[in-house]
Amino acid sequence: MKFDTPAAQNPIDQLKVVGKPTDRIDGPAKTTGTAPYAYERHDIAPNAAYGYVLGAGIAKGRIRAIHSAEARRAPGVVAIVTTLDLPKQGLGKMNTANLFGGDEIQHYHQAIAVVVAETFEQARAAAFLVRVDYAPTAGRFDLAAEAKGAPPVPGDSGEGSSSGGEERAGDFEGAFAAAAVKLDETYTTPDETHAMMEPHATIAAWNGDKLTLWTSNQMIAWGKGSVAKILGLPAENVRLDSPYVGGGFGGKLFVRSDAIVAALAAKAAKRPVKVALTRPLIANNTTHRPATIQRIRIGATKDGTITAIAHESTSGNLPEGRPETAVDQTKLIYAGANRLTAMKLAHLDLPEGNAMRAPGEAPGMMALEMAMDEMAEALGQDPVAFRIRNDTQVDPGHPERRFSQRDLVGCLKLGAETFGWAKRNPKPAQVRDRQWFVGMGMAAGFRNNLLTKSAARVRLGADGIVTVETDMTDIGTGSYTIIAQTAAEMMGLPLDRVVVRLGDSDFPASAGSGGQWGANNATSGVYAACVKLRENVAQRLGFNSADTVFTDGMVRAGNRSASLGDAAKAGELVAEDTIEYGDLSKKAQQSTFAGHFVEVGVDVQTAEVRVRRMLAVCAAGRILNPKSARSQVIGAMTMGVGAALMEELAVDTKRGFFVNHDLAGYEVPVHADIPHQEVIFLDEVDPMSSPMKAKGVGELGLCGVGAAVANAVYNATGVRVRDYPITLDKLLDRMPDAA
């Protein structure tokens, strides 16, 4: 199905099932432990051995030799495969570093061997007996040191944010110099890791020259293609199966070493092998969010109209890696005729930087929305009013291009009213509640809407049950449920008459899960397949498809009716289709918007920060399932608290690795850190987006939250911290008098 004209009235608009706050279908299986994750698929690969991955002990250089004889003699060892056993292999889709093979070390903890044994403990013990001779070379590990010589480069996150090395509109320098009020500040965000609950894990098994991987992966079609490319296999000989994913956050968008090493180990062991990466390997061997250094300049008239805005960001990555696209939202979110955005990329020999939790906008909004607050203060204006004054309904760099739907102002106004923003004291460090300084902060939220083709297959049986098959994944986001809701709405069925099967590369290729594109695109693919199935049903029943109505398990046309199952009595009906998009997203800018509001308390003696309450008001098209959408947003808000107050990979700038590479040293928010969270969705649809008239919402819940927390800390204390995370050591010696 080609979607190239705005959506008109269609069966989804009935909203009998879609749009209802529906419990997740996979909830009972998840809560009872009967939804198996990759490492727990004991039934599909009996007699599996255990692989333990050994990571490189240097960050850059070469391997002279790997001594594994002692390890091979260890109890239970079945096989050992080292990187010296194989030549350097090709890269998979979006990989920057090689996952296995060859003697070159590109980053710390790069996989160099896998030890296979009868038990995990035996494999781990034997791995510690492997000795490696290295020839280390000097590397570059300090972003601040390398930033000055970093060249401008274009970049694309692959998730809807992109920018050129330098982009201009108007005369920024002239307008900035002439501005009555100016801001010129630098902000930094640190390296961060995904910290998902389920590790990267794979079970691999060969049947002749055919490989099956039961793995944890967000993008099945990408993964299948990458595995085939890296291992030199025909794509038809590779199958990935990933029905449940215990969190990914971008870290599982691409194949990682667990999948490749498990495949190689299974071939060497001549039996299935299961591999799970340890926490240190997840931090150093897989991907992370790169640190940024962001300079923001804003010039405005005395009445608060922005006349000049510039956002320049520097990040680091391995050679051939991409920059963090932190400036993209600044091209679109606020008006201003004179503009400059630029990205620079420093060559670093740290582990690979790549997509993580709203790449681009998440760290970019942390800087931009703090700068907007600082500018509002310099102007003597309310932060909400300043943002509303500079709203735009067109792409500022291309004024002829309007937004398909934009109600940032509505989000900010409703958020301010609901949160009690009018009670905020604009003068910092004025509100005290016992031992706490109390402050309020806010920020706008922004995330682009990305359209990508997605396919599905639907089957109708004589029992009237509709089965949906697509390789779409559920990474804890509720894909099973919204896909079932879509099919139920289209076919006129209750939810319990729909079966959803996901995550298998034998199914039609979907959009996959990432960049908040999954829900809208995957359900649109199901919509397309159901349109075709409805036509097949009408034809089988001899009805005129143009006036056929599907409702309550029945099919009606004029004065004729039949049960839906009657259409399949002569044999199962199967329909498959793909949603493919035209140029609507080029004709109109498609984005999502939010207003984030936060209240914090800061201990007057210790400078400990406690978030007291949070609110997000989101405008993101039709909300397919308000219950699961709310869960996504509050999860994203929680990540925003982590980014603002605690998450930071500490870099050893001499040895080139992340020191705090486990959940003991890398802090993330826990339940005790998170207060009441409220989420409001504006009632809107976007016919330009898809036949579902929906957009993504999950990552919108993150973009802007960190700055809202930072702005609240400033309002509470009068201390402005521009280097995230805002830990108490950055506040303590600058705190106001606690007397």
Side-chain angles (χ1 to χ4, degrees), residues 370-382:
M370 196 193 300
M372 288 293 288
D373 247 50
E374 294 199 65
M375 191 64 182
E377 184 179 48
L379 288 160
Q381 294 191 1
D382 176 78

Side-chain angles (χ1 to χ4, degrees), residues 296-535:
I296 297 178
R297 288 173 284 173
I298 304 174
T301 60
K302 289 183 179 179
D303 69 356
T305 301
I306 293 175
T307 56
I309 186 167
H311 191 167
E312 299 163 274
S313 176
T314 303
S315 57
N317 213 333
L318 291 166
E320 309 304 322
R322 299 177 300 178
E324 180 72 37
T325 53
V327 305
D328 185 63
Q329 72 289 317
T330 308
K331 298 189 297 183
L332 294 165
I333 190 168
Y334 297 119
N338 304 288
R339 318 176 67 84
L340 164 66
T341 55
M343 296 190 302
K344 296 180 180 180
L345 180 63
H347 170 188
L348 296 180
D349 298 302
L350 290 173
E352 179 181 346
N354 218 315
M356 173 180 161
R357 303 188 213 157
E361 290 98 332
M365 294 293 284
M366 290 172 73
L368 175 64
E369 287 301 289
M370 196 193 300
M372 288 293 288
D373 247 50
E374 294 199 65
M375 191 64 182
E377 184 179 48
L379 288 160
Q381 294 191 1
D382 176 78
V384 174
F386 176 53
R387 288 169 172 83
I388 291 174
R389 172 179 285 277
N390 290 285
D391 184 52
T392 175
Q393 293 298 309
V394 300
D395 177 344
H398 303 88
E400 73 283 356
R401 190 163 173 260
R402 298 188 63 81
F403 283 87
S404 64
Q405 191 80 257
R406 177 181 170 123
D407 196 7
L408 174 59
V409 170
C411 293
L412 296 178
K413 286 184 174 179
L414 180 58
E417 179 184 353
T418 305
F419 200 71
W421 183 257
K423 298 177 182 178
R424 169 184 176 269
N425 190 326
K427 187 176 180 181
Q430 299 301 302
V431 179
R432 179 109 173 237
D433 179 11
R434 294 165 294 174
Q435 83 270 26
W436 303 97
F437 289 119
V438 179
M440 291 187 195
M442 59 78 54
F446 176 93
R447 179 74 175 164
N448 275 327
N449 183 55
L450 187 63
L451 301 178
T452 182
K453 69 178 183 179
S454 189
R457 180 188 303 130
V458 286
R459 302 178 180 275
L460 172 64
D463 55 4
I465 291 178
V466 169
T467 300
V468 183
E469 297 172 340
T470 171
D471 80 355
M472 179 62 183
T473 49
D474 192 320
I475 60 175
T477 46
S479 299
Y480 279 102
T481 310
I482 58 171
I483 285 173
Q485 288 177 274
T486 302
E489 193 79 75
M490 290 296 293
M491 303 310 298
L493 292 171
L495 207 57
D496 61 6
R497 303 293 287 173
V498 177
V499 174
V500 177
R501 302 174 66 196
L502 300 181
D504 191 328
S505 64
D506 285 348
F507 297 156
S510 72
S513 297
Q516 78 170 28
W517 68 62
N520 181 39
N521 292 293
T523 55
S524 294
V526 174
Y527 171 95
C530 286
V531 167
K532 188 170 285 188
L533 181 61
R534 285 163 61 107
E535 293 170 354

Side-chain angles (χ1 to χ4, degrees), residues 90-99 226 230 254-256 287 320 352 354:
L91 297 176
K93 185 176 180 66
M94 299 178 79
N95 294 141
T96 301
N98 292 89
L99 300 183
S226 290
I230 293 169
F254 337 110
V255 165
R256 302 307 310 172
T287 61
E320 309 304 322
E352 179 181 346
N354 218 315

Side-chain angles (χ1 to χ4, degrees), residues 39 48-55 66-83 85 100 111-132 202 257-258 260-262 264-266 268-269 271-278 281:
Y39 203 72
Y50 292 79
Y52 189 90
V53 178
L54 186 66
I66 297 178
H67 306 284
S68 60
E70 186 179 1
R72 293 179 191 276
R73 294 192 298 267
V77 171
V78 175
I80 297 178
V81 182
T82 80
T83 190
D85 299 331
F100 201 73
I112 60 171
V114 57
V115 178
V116 183
E118 296 292 346
T119 69
F120 170 79
E121 291 77 12
Q122 289 173 330
R124 179 177 59 185
F128 293 153
L129 299 176
V130 176
R131 292 183 296 108
V132 185
T202 300
S257 63
D258 60 297
I260 301 304
V261 167
L264 295 170
R271 59 192 273 198
V273 170
K274 55 172 61 181
V275 171
L277 298 185
T278 59
L281 286 173

Side-chain angles (χ1 to χ4, degrees), residues 3 63 135 188 213 217 271 285 321-322 342 491 570 602 678 702:
F3 183 76
I63 301 172
T188 67
L213 300 177
N217 187 273
R271 59 192 273 198
N285 176 268
R322 299 177 300 178
M491 303 310 298
V602 183
E678 187 174 357
L702 166 61

